[in-house]
Every structure is written in structure tokens, then in C-alpha cells.
Amino acid sequence: MLKHNDPRLHCMLLPPRSPNMKSTVLPLALVAVVGAASSNTVCTEPEGMKCDNLEGTAFVQTRKQPEPLLIQEFQNTSRSGCQDCCNDGHRAVPCLDVDACASNGPQQGKYALVFSYFGKPPQKFFPNILHTRKHVKSADFILLMTKDDVKFLDSWQLRTMYLNNVKLRTVDWAVPPNMVHHPKENWCGPQDLMRLHALALEGYDAVAYYDNDIEIQDDITPMLRCAATGRFLSTNGGAGA
């Protein structure tokens, strides 16, 4: 049950959206009390009513005294998320239509998902590998680690990689050699800069880099096919995002 700041609205219900659905029609039922604008109570069970009765797909209020209800149905047919929130360097513009872009990509491309780890990995450093493999069946999984860090992998971790067909690629450096800015501690340079090795992988139409604890919830083949047309696709997020 969702709360609303408008005192005229007492109950709202938004059915859960499946993470596997690219777009959907979301029915939103609003149950409002006619003439209750003067009330300051929102879904807090004011005198004579409750907001916890579910009838069909909408919450309704049970009352000691009959009172007319105004029920409105809204259909949201647009895609959820941000609209026109991309930037071409000068202004906000519509974002790239990945599906349309993918239609120009190779039908049978060769792709790779790249992960990396710097230092000693925890026991379960691929917590979502089974879920990821379920949605990405046709791509190679590649783990990048430095030659010095590979020795930290124990037999259980190596077996997990083997069973999930994760290929280990050792790299010579985590921080580019002769880099001017290279603090010895308290920075994330090694784990971030080591990802640059993904750009040097050969033999693939496209590669995608993900953190090793990512949970992929849908087929990313359209994104890979779009990248295979020569586009560089990127997202960003802060700590904890």
C-alpha cells in the first residue's frame, strides 16, 4: 500500500512489475473520498474506516457509515523510467533505442562478459553467477586478475569458475605502468583501471564489463548486438547505486 500526500486520496495500489518485462500497462487504482479535502489523515485508518481490505486489484476502505467513493482507472502505456534524460554534449535528447540499434547488429555475433577482481577475493565472489548465466547463455564469461592475485584463488573458487565456464585471463598490471598519479593506498585505482584490459580483448564482436556481483535480470543480447555496430554504451552510478 502506497501513501499519498494529497489528503483526498486515502489508498493507492500499484501491482508489482515483473523485472523481466520490458514494458507494461500498469493499472493504477485510486480510491478517494469525495469531499474529504479538509481531512489531514492519509491511510492511517481514521475514525470509522480502514485501508487494508483488498478487493480484486484495488485497496478499498471499509466504513461504519456508507460514503460514496470516487474510483478512477488510469492506464500508463508509456515506458517507465527517464524520458529524454540523455545528453549529446549540448542538450538533453531522447536516449538511444537499443532494440532498434540491435536490429543492425550481427545475427550470430560472438560476445563476452568481462569481470575483474583485484586482491584476494571473498569465498563467494560470484554470488549471482547462476542467475547471470541463465540470462546470458551465448557469451563467454571472462575473469581478469593480475598474475600475483591468481594465487589467492582456492580450489572451491576454481571449481565454481569451471562449472560455470568462467575463463581466467591474467593481466600484467592493475594500474598502467608509469602512471603519474599512483597513490600507494586509500584509492580505488587498481580495481577500476584494471577494467581497461577488457578493451583489448580480441575475437569478439562486442564485450560488456560488469562487476562480479551484478545480478542480470533479463536478456542483454540486444545491448551486445547494438554495441557490435560500433557504439560504446556506458552507464554510471555512485557508491551504493
Side-chain angles (χ1 to χ4, degrees):
M1 182 168 61
L2 304 179
K3 295 185 178 180
H4 196 284
N5 292 327
D6 190 334
R8 293 172 296 176
L9 302 181
H10 284 264
C11 294
M12 300 173 63
L13 174 66
L14 183 62
R17 182 176 185 268
S18 170
N20 295 324
M21 298 174 65
K22 295 182 179 179
S23 61
T24 186
V25 176
L26 299 178
L28 178 61
L30 303 181
V31 181
V33 180
V34 176
S38 60
S39 171
N40 293 323
T41 305
V42 180
C43 267
T44 55
E45 299 188 3
E47 180 64 27
M49 62 183 69
K50 296 180 65 177
C51 294
D52 58 356
N53 283 359
L54 181 64
E55 291 184 4
T57 60
F59 277 106
V60 298
Q61 294 172 332
T62 58
R63 307 167 187 280
K64 294 180 181 179
Q65 299 297 327
E67 188 172 353
L69 294 178
L70 174 65
I71 301 178
Q72 296 177 318
E73 294 286 341
F74 295 93
Q75 298 294 328
N76 180 9
T77 57
S78 62
R79 289 187 176 183
S80 62
C82 181
Q83 302 295 326
D84 292 348
C85 57
C86 293
N87 193 290
D88 64 359
H90 303 283
R91 60 188 182 280
V93 296
C95 293
L96 173 69
D97 187 330
V98 174
D99 291 326
C101 173
S103 64
N104 298 317
Q107 295 294 327
Q108 300 294 329
K110 186 176 182 180
Y111 307 114
L113 261 65
V114 183
F115 311 91
S116 65
Y117 207 92
F118 177 77
K120 183 177 181 179
Q123 186 66 40
K124 295 182 178 181
F125 71 124
F126 273 121
N128 301 307
I129 188 66
L130 293 178
H131 200 78
T132 301
R133 177 59 76 183
K134 174 183 176 181
H135 291 295
V136 190
K137 300 178 180 179
S138 59
D140 290 345
F141 283 18
I142 298 176
L143 172 65
L144 303 176
M145 295 186 71
T146 64
K147 296 177 180 179
D148 291 335
D149 289 343
V150 167
K151 62 185 179 182
F152 293 127
L153 293 172
D154 60 29
S155 58
W156 190 92
Q157 293 167 327
L158 292 172
R159 178 173 173 78
T160 299
M161 293 171 58
Y162 172 79
L163 292 176
N164 292 281
N165 198 21
V166 178
K167 302 177 181 180
L168 178 63
R169 296 281 185 93
T170 58
V171 297
D172 294 327
W173 50 261
V175 177
N178 302 319
M179 185 170 176
V180 175
H181 181 76
H182 190 173
K184 299 302 181 182
E185 58 183 14
N186 297 328
W187 78 309
C188 299
Q191 68 186 51
D192 291 335
L193 296 173
M194 187 166 60
R195 304 169 184 177
L196 294 173
H197 289 286
L199 301 176
L201 292 175
E202 298 180 346
Y204 296 100
D205 294 293
V207 299
Y209 179 87
Y210 287 96
D211 288 341
N212 58 294
D213 59 351
I214 197 71
E215 180 179 346
I216 295 177
Q217 299 184 347
D218 206 345
D219 183 14
I220 65 170
T221 302
M223 180 199 69
L224 293 170
R225 290 181 61 193
C226 178
T229 65
R231 292 183 178 272
F232 183 88
L233 307 179
S234 177
T235 62
N236 70 328

